[in-house]
Amino acid sequence: ESKESSALRKWIRDVREFAVEDTNRVAFSLKAGLAMLLVSLLVLITAPFEIFGANIIWSILTVAIMFEYTVGATLNRGFNRAVGSFIAGVFAVVVIQITLNSGDKAAPYIIGLSIFLVGAGTSFMKLWPSLVPYEYGFRVILFTYCLIIISSYRMGNPMKTAMDRLYSISIGAVVAVLVNVLIFPIWAGEQLHKELVSSFNTVADSLEECMRNYLRDGESDHRNFSKTVVDEFPDEQALQRCRATLNSSARLDSLANSAKWEPPHGRFTQLFYPWSQYVRVGAVLRHCAYEVMALHGCLHSEIQAPYNLRMAFRSEIVDAAIHAAELLRVLGSDVSNMKHTLRTLTLLKSVHTSTYHLQHSMQLHSYILTPTQLHLLDLTKKPTTNTFSNTLSLGDHEHLSCHDHIMKKQERRLHSWPSIEVDELEEDGGIDTEMIPKMRTLESTTALSLATFTSLLIEFVARLDWLVDAVDELSKLAKFKQEDVGP
Amino acid sequence: ESKESSALRKWIRDVREFAVEDTNRVAFSLKAGLAMLLVSLLVLITAPFEIFGANIIWSILTVAIMFEYTVGATLNRGFNRAVGSFIAGVFAVVVIQITLNSGDKAAPYIIGLSIFLVGAGTSFMKLWPSLVPYEYGFRVILFTYCLIIISSYRMGNPMKTAMDRLYSISIGAVVAVLVNVLIFPIWAGEQLHKELVSSFNTVADSLEECMRNYLRDGESDHRNFSKTVVDEFPDEQALQRCRATLNSSARLDSLANSAKWEPPHGRFTQLFYPWSQYVRVGAVLRHCAYEVMALHGCLHSEIQAPYNLRMAFRSEIVDAAIHAAELLRVLGSDVSNMKHTLRTLTLLKSVHTSTYHLQHSMQLHSYILTPTQLHLLDLTKKPTTNTFSNTLSLGDHEHLSCHDHIMKKQERRLHSWPSIEVDELEEDGGIDTEMIPKMRTLESTTALSLATFTSLLIEFVARLDWLVDAVDELSKLAKFKQEDVGP
């Protein structure tokens, strides 16, 4: 019995945690209960019941079916229900007129045929891709039509039946909407806003996690693959969330779809707030996250760069990843606070700088660090600094031309690869002394794995430009507050 | 007016195409119409109406709400509806007994409170993650409970109300299920099967497309990025579908969920057919598709390997990609035909061979082809074949040791990297003569872009092992026909 009571206690704790984690859940439940209670009062109290009669149970049904989590979804369902009922009502009245004019004998055949046609027609239409969001509306048309026409056939007075039903449905709809909007409203727009912000943080977290795991001693990392595909494991929680972010496109779409139905509210005071731009930013962010997934692929790939080679480029990789993650977080907090700061531009520059360092370092070592050359140079003798600075300037020169080439391609773009860092790099004499250990490690195709990791990181950074642009566009459309650069 | 009629004609053509594309759509619509017609006959024909009375409209409502596209989804909805109605009925009877015992004055308060509690309780429970699939069931509990208790309060005889409603609901449910299962059944299992097979082909197509676009002359390819994120463009249709495949996890889940409700049918004669393994294979396939997305990223990245460098490795890249795509297609057709052929193993070997060639070729050129070395060697003078074969054998040796290292890691795996190809490669003297043009092109970080592309391709191939395993597992669980290797 103590086992059962401890299981019960655990269950109660779980439920409480679930409720505390997001108090909206409790608010939603209480609101749903309240809305049901309000409509049922129309039956329980004698006075209104005498006015409305038994038809009022349709209000209850309407509330039960229409009450959704967010305001936007409820309004959207209400719209579907209203338009669906209206279409069904009009159609039913037309068919009833036809049956009245065609005599008692023909009536059941006409009604049967019309039910078949409406059933087949609405079912076909709701499969049509652009009509899929209105699936519920077609269902409403179907059953409202059938109910009106059947009750009119057996109970007479079709117009009264139709009207009674419509007004009791609208009472239910009004109660559902009022309770949903006026008491602790849960806005789809707010949810979308938060979800997008948290995606930024998720991608940033998993990028850093990836980088940390890559630079950790590698041998113990080579886990069973099937785990990485399907199950979770403890040290890659951020990546699991990142994967969830990748699969969230449908959720963002539906939230944006609901948010469009909502009136201006809270911080979103603008009419026709650009919710669709949120979906767009989400798409660009997912596009960045694909690169993180590929980086994650490097972690678990069969061919691995040796640990010391990875460590050789440690500081550059750490720099680039940390800066990129910070940029993501700042973008996220900018969206979160609905501000447009110039800090992102500063950060974008420093991301580019550190990426440039990484790229440059890789380039230097693709020049110098091949075993063949070591073979020719005689490894036992340390090369003089002179030789290296020679190569360095050559490298710089070549890289500059390549850089110019990219610059030309990017003329159309606002923030292209910055060129100031070249000078900074030339001042940075520390690189030279670190070159020797790197030389011996880049030996075979395993080194290509490192090149892949860094290239993916660089590509990730390149995509950040587009992300900054998309957020920029959002901040213009949504009229975010413009702010000067912070301290 | 001719404009209108041409628009109408276009619309009719679209609808016809939509219907012809998948005739199940038409079948579903006609079935839905038929089911509605059948239940409405209970009202339209006098004899059954006299038996069942006005309650029969609940059958109509039930059909309209329960009739789903696939058999499994209909059965699932029916289950939710049946269990929901049953729970609501039991609960209602209990509450009615309580109200009867507590006097007329207390009754409305007790009923009101119970409605509030049921409303809040079901709304809270349906947010609980593991109960989300039964969302519809909770809705049914809520409105069935309210309808029973309200009508019992106002119309008396609660047991009769409840029973009448339950049997009319069950008539509707039986009609919906019978029509759905007996007439042109659309099985969720069959859909899942087809969807998985087509995902294999989609990934294969987009891999080949990626490879073709990469090896095409590059300059014109550098399109505006925002297009690649959100919109479609003509020459990457397979990739658009691949992206859709990446987002299809929710759809596969729900199909598998529905398929579990279906009895053995058609080709799937086994009880408890392993539908969840389909989801698993889908997950591994998506894991492969992430690499294709990363390859796609290489196509559009800012830093590109020069065209002639890409062409230098053309044959190896083409070989690896074509073989990998063929393996995917054979796996797909194996699943499609529910056969287990040994062809996949042969193909896996040849994929490994061509990947090995690619890897080896990359490795050779990472040794020899750096400008620094050219600088030292004096570029104007062509190096003798002797030097090259020297380097070649050195490369082989080193690669072998690396290969052994990987072999050790993969001892637990059935199909590890094959070792026979090493001999084949040494026979292949043709490589030497092709080395000169490659030498001059690998000059800067842009070459790393090529390394990334090939590494991603190699990683993709490494993941194919796991895909072959997953399909193997599926073929065992689902008892596919074992077949000897074809011609």
Side-chain angles (χ1 to χ4, degrees):
Chain A
E1 213 184 67
S2 77
K3 241 188 195 175
E4 273 168 23
S5 78
S6 83
L8 184 73
R9 223 172 292 147
K10 187 189 173 304
W11 181 80
I12 290 174
R13 208 186 319 122
D14 283 354
V15 169
R16 191 186 292 154
E17 267 171 23
F18 184 70
V20 170
E21 194 182 289
D22 186 354
T23 47
N24 276 343
R25 288 167 181 154
V26 182
F28 166 68
S29 313
L30 295 180
K31 276 161 63 184
L34 182 66
M36 291 305 291
L37 179 62
L38 286 179
V39 276
S40 56
L41 285 183
L42 295 175
V43 188
L44 293 174
I45 300 172
T46 314
F49 181 70
E50 278 169 358
I51 304 169
F52 296 118
N55 264 315
I56 211 71
I57 53 168
W58 288 101
S59 313
I60 297 174
L61 204 74
T62 303
V63 172
I65 288 178
M66 243 184 74
F67 208 85
E68 293 274 338
Y69 193 70
T70 62
V71 173
T74 303
L75 292 175
N76 188 6
R77 266 209 156 191
F79 169 82
N80 269 297
R81 181 139 195 131
V83 172
S85 300
F86 180 75
I87 293 175
V90 169
F91 195 61
V93 168
V94 170
V95 172
I96 287 165
Q97 288 304 325
I98 295 173
T99 56
L100 289 180
N101 293 335
S102 55
D104 280 0
K105 282 217 167 162
Y109 297 100
I110 294 174
I111 290 175
L113 182 70
S114 73
I115 287 177
F116 176 79
L117 289 180
V118 171
T122 53
S123 302
F124 187 75
M125 283 201 279
K126 72 186 178 189
L127 296 178
W128 191 267
S130 60
L131 295 178
V132 166
Y134 306 103
E135 197 261 346
Y136 178 67
F138 288 109
R139 244 181 238 276
V140 169
I141 292 178
L142 177 57
F143 71 69
T144 308
Y145 175 77
C146 291
L147 291 176
I148 293 176
I149 205 143
I150 290 287
S151 22
S152 85
Y153 178 68
R154 282 295 168 189
M155 295 151 213
N157 204 348
M159 281 311 288
K160 194 176 175 310
T161 317
M163 290 316 295
D164 279 4
R165 197 141 295 160
L166 283 181
Y167 82 68
S168 54
I169 286 175
S170 48
I171 289 175
V174 167
V175 170
V177 168
L178 286 183
V179 171
N180 212 327
V181 174
L182 297 182
I183 303 169
F184 286 118
I186 301 166
W187 302 100
E190 186 74 38
Q191 301 270 322
L192 177 60
H193 189 83
K194 279 185 192 159
E195 202 126 314
L196 186 68
V197 170
S198 85
S199 310
F200 275 99
N201 292 329
T202 302
V203 176
D205 287 351
S206 53
L207 176 68
E208 284 187 347
E209 188 183 78
C210 231
M211 175 269 287
R212 268 199 311 275
N213 285 352
Y214 192 71
L215 296 176
R216 221 172 42 187
D217 193 352
E219 290 315 303
S220 61
D221 278 339
H222 229 279
R223 260 151 309 203
N224 194 322
F225 167 84
S226 61
K227 264 192 171 172
T228 74
V229 176
V230 184
D231 307 323
E232 302 184 19
F233 41 95
D235 62 336
E236 295 196 336
Q237 287 167 340
L239 233 129
Q240 294 300 325
R241 278 186 285 132
C242 184
R243 190 170 288 153
T245 301
L246 283 180
N247 289 332
S248 70
S249 69
R251 197 173 143 66
L252 289 187
D253 276 352
S254 88
L255 277 178
N257 220 16
S258 294
K260 277 175 201 154
W261 287 92
E262 293 173 352
H265 54 89
R267 303 180 282 168
F268 313 105
T269 48
Q270 188 184 331
L271 261 178
F272 304 111
Y273 192 81
W275 296 115
S276 52
Q277 183 66 19
Y278 275 75
V279 174
R280 213 182 158 77
V281 172
V284 180
L285 185 61
R286 269 205 305 289
H287 202 73
C288 295
Y290 282 130
E291 293 297 315
V292 178
M293 288 308 288
L295 282 171
H296 171 70
C298 282
L299 286 187
H300 294 277
S301 90
E302 304 288 335
I303 302 151
Q304 285 291 350
Y307 178 64
N308 49 354
L309 180 59
R310 281 181 268 164
M311 289 314 286
F313 291 94
R314 190 175 190 288
S315 64
E316 288 91 347
I317 290 175
V318 168
D319 247 38
I322 295 251
H323 280 132
E326 200 191 340
L327 175 59
L328 278 170
R329 291 213 180 84
V330 168
L331 282 175
S333 82
D334 271 11
V335 172
S336 172
N337 302 327
M338 301 181 71
K339 280 178 188 166
H340 181 64
T341 61
L342 294 175
R343 243 182 101 200
T344 49
L345 292 189
T346 329
L347 267 170
L348 192 65
K349 269 194 186 169
S350 68
V351 173
H352 282 175
T353 313
S354 45
T355 313
Y356 185 80
H357 280 290
L358 175 59
Q359 226 176 324
H360 194 89
S361 165
M362 288 301 290
Q363 182 197 358
L364 276 179
H365 298 93
S366 81
Y367 270 95
I368 309 159
L369 309 173
T370 57
T372 321
Q373 196 206 347
L374 299 180
H375 180 70
L376 293 168
L377 280 176
D378 185 2
L379 243 181
T380 50
K381 197 175 73 193
K382 272 197 185 178
T384 60
T385 323
N386 216 18
T387 325
F388 275 105
S389 53
N390 235 352
T391 330
L392 184 75
S393 59
L394 176 72
D396 264 346
H397 177 71
E398 298 228 352
H399 196 272
L400 266 173
S401 72
C402 151
H403 178 70
D404 281 346
H405 181 59
I406 291 167
M407 284 291 282
K408 261 178 227 150
K409 279 191 183 175
Q410 289 195 325
E411 271 168 359
R412 61 193 154 77
R413 308 244 321 100
L414 191 66
H415 322 293
S416 53
W417 294 91
S419 52
I420 42 152
E421 286 73 41
V422 181
D423 319 84
E424 283 179 35
L425 203 93
E426 280 180 332
E427 290 163 20
D428 191 359
I431 287 181
D432 291 11
T433 56
E434 283 171 36
M435 269 169 198
I436 323 307
K438 293 182 190 176
M439 287 173 70
R440 296 189 189 145
T441 44
L442 194 85
E443 289 184 336
S444 67
T445 38
T446 57
L448 289 184
S449 160
L450 183 77
T452 306
F453 189 87
T454 53
S455 296
L456 289 173
L457 193 57
I458 290 164
E459 173 64 19
F460 178 82
V461 170
R463 289 185 182 186
L464 285 181
D465 283 1
W466 301 101
L467 190 62
V468 169
D469 275 8
V471 172
D472 227 53
E473 177 85 15
L474 174 64
S475 75
K476 266 176 214 144
L477 288 173
K479 297 184 181 123
F480 284 0
K481 252 187 281 175
Q482 296 287 327
E483 239 184 45
D484 292 337
V485 60
Chain B
E1 216 185 68
S2 76
K3 243 189 193 175
E4 275 170 22
S5 78
S6 81
L8 185 75
R9 224 174 288 148
K10 186 187 174 306
W11 182 79
I12 290 175
R13 210 188 317 125
D14 283 352
V15 170
R16 192 186 290 155
E17 268 170 24
F18 183 70
V20 170
E21 195 182 289
D22 185 354
T23 49
N24 276 342
R25 287 166 182 157
V26 181
F28 166 68
S29 313
L30 295 180
K31 276 161 64 184
L34 182 66
M36 291 305 290
L37 180 63
L38 285 179
V39 277
S40 55
L41 284 184
L42 295 175
V43 188
L44 293 174
I45 300 173
T46 314
F49 181 70
E50 278 169 358
I51 304 168
F52 297 118
N55 264 314
I56 211 72
I57 53 168
W58 288 101
S59 314
I60 296 174
L61 204 74
T62 304
V63 172
I65 287 178
M66 244 183 73
F67 209 85
E68 291 274 339
Y69 192 70
T70 63
V71 173
T74 303
L75 292 176
N76 188 8
R77 268 214 150 186
F79 168 82
N80 269 298
R81 183 141 194 130
V83 171
S85 299
F86 179 75
I87 292 174
V90 169
F91 195 60
V93 169
V94 169
V95 172
I96 287 166
Q97 288 304 324
I98 295 172
T99 56
L100 289 180
N101 293 335
S102 55
D104 279 359
K105 283 217 169 161
Y109 297 99
I110 295 175
I111 290 176
L113 182 70
S114 73
I115 287 177
F116 176 79
L117 289 179
V118 171
T122 53
S123 301
F124 187 76
M125 283 202 279
K126 73 186 177 190
L127 296 178
W128 192 268
S130 60
L131 295 178
V132 166
Y134 305 104
E135 197 261 347
Y136 178 67
F138 289 108
R139 244 182 239 277
V140 169
I141 292 178
L142 178 57
F143 70 69
T144 307
Y145 175 77
C146 290
L147 291 176
I148 292 176
I149 206 144
I150 291 288
S151 19
S152 86
Y153 178 67
R154 282 296 170 189
M155 296 153 214
N157 203 349
M159 282 310 290
K160 195 176 174 312
T161 317
M163 291 315 295
D164 279 5
R165 198 143 293 161
L166 283 181
Y167 80 67
S168 54
I169 285 174
S170 49
I171 288 174
V174 168
V175 169
V177 167
L178 286 183
V179 170
N180 212 327
V181 174
L182 296 182
I183 303 168
F184 287 117
I186 302 167
W187 302 100
E190 186 76 37
Q191 302 268 322
L192 177 60
H193 189 83
K194 278 185 192 159
E195 202 126 313
L196 186 68
V197 170
S198 86
S199 312
F200 275 99
N201 293 328
T202 302
V203 176
D205 288 351
S206 54
L207 176 68
E208 285 188 345
E209 190 183 76
C210 231
M211 176 269 289
R212 268 199 311 276
N213 285 353
Y214 192 69
L215 296 175
R216 222 172 43 188
D217 194 352
E219 289 315 303
S220 61
D221 279 339
H222 229 279
R223 260 152 308 206
N224 194 320
F225 167 86
S226 62
K227 262 192 172 173
T228 75
V229 176
V230 185
D231 306 326
E232 302 186 16
F233 40 96
D235 62 336
E236 295 196 334
Q237 287 167 340
L239 233 128
Q240 294 300 325
R241 279 186 285 132
C242 185
R243 188 169 290 154
T245 301
L246 283 179
N247 288 333
S248 71
S249 70
R251 195 173 143 67
L252 288 187
D253 276 352
S254 89
L255 277 177
N257 220 16
S258 295
K260 276 175 202 156
W261 287 92
E262 293 173 352
H265 55 87
R267 303 179 283 169
F268 312 105
T269 49
Q270 190 184 328
L271 262 179
F272 304 111
Y273 192 81
W275 296 116
S276 52
Q277 182 66 21
Y278 275 76
V279 175
R280 212 182 159 78
V281 172
V284 179
L285 186 61
R286 268 203 308 285
H287 203 73
C288 295
Y290 283 130
E291 293 297 315
V292 177
M293 289 307 289
L295 281 171
H296 170 70
C298 282
L299 286 186
H300 294 277
S301 90
E302 304 290 335
I303 301 150
Q304 284 292 347
Y307 178 64
N308 48 353
L309 181 59
R310 280 181 268 164
M311 289 316 283
F313 292 93
R314 189 175 192 287
S315 64
E316 288 91 346
I317 290 174
V318 168
D319 248 36
I322 294 252
H323 281 131
E326 200 190 340
L327 175 60
L328 278 170
R329 292 214 179 85
V330 168
L331 282 175
S333 82
D334 272 10
V335 172
S336 171
N337 302 326
M338 301 182 71
K339 281 177 188 167
H340 180 64
T341 61
L342 294 174
R343 245 183 99 199
T344 47
L345 292 189
T346 329
L347 266 169
L348 193 64
K349 270 195 185 169
S350 67
V351 173
H352 283 174
T353 313
S354 45
T355 314
Y356 185 81
H357 280 290
L358 175 60
Q359 227 176 323
H360 194 89
S361 166
M362 288 301 290
Q363 183 197 356
L364 276 178
H365 299 93
S366 82
Y367 270 98
I368 309 161
L369 308 175
T370 58
T372 318
Q373 197 206 349
L374 298 179
H375 181 70
L376 293 167
L377 280 177
D378 183 2
L379 243 181
T380 50
K381 197 175 71 191
K382 272 194 182 180
T384 59
T385 323
N386 217 18
T387 324
F388 275 106
S389 52
N390 238 352
T391 330
L392 184 76
S393 58
L394 176 72
D396 264 351
H397 177 71
E398 299 228 352
H399 195 272
L400 265 173
S401 72
C402 151
H403 177 70
D404 282 346
H405 181 60
I406 290 167
M407 285 291 282
K408 261 177 228 150
K409 279 193 183 173
Q410 289 195 328
E411 271 169 1
R412 62 193 150 79
R413 308 247 320 104
L414 190 66
H415 324 292
S416 54
W417 294 90
S419 54
I420 43 154
E421 286 74 42
V422 182
D423 319 86
E424 283 179 34
L425 203 93
E426 280 179 331
E427 290 165 20
D428 192 358
I431 287 181
D432 291 12
T433 57
E434 283 170 38
M435 270 167 198
I436 320 308
K438 292 181 190 175
M439 287 173 71
R440 295 186 190 150
T441 45
L442 193 84
E443 288 183 337
S444 70
T445 40
T446 58
L448 288 183
S449 161
L450 183 76
T452 307
F453 189 87
T454 54
S455 295
L456 288 173
L457 193 57
I458 290 165
E459 174 64 20
F460 177 82
V461 170
R463 289 184 181 186
L464 285 181
D465 284 1
W466 301 99
L467 190 61
V468 169
D469 275 8
V471 172
D472 227 51
E473 178 84 16
L474 174 64
S475 76
K476 266 176 215 146
L477 289 173
K479 296 184 180 123
F480 284 1
K481 251 188 280 175
Q482 295 287 327
E483 238 184 46
D484 293 335
V485 60

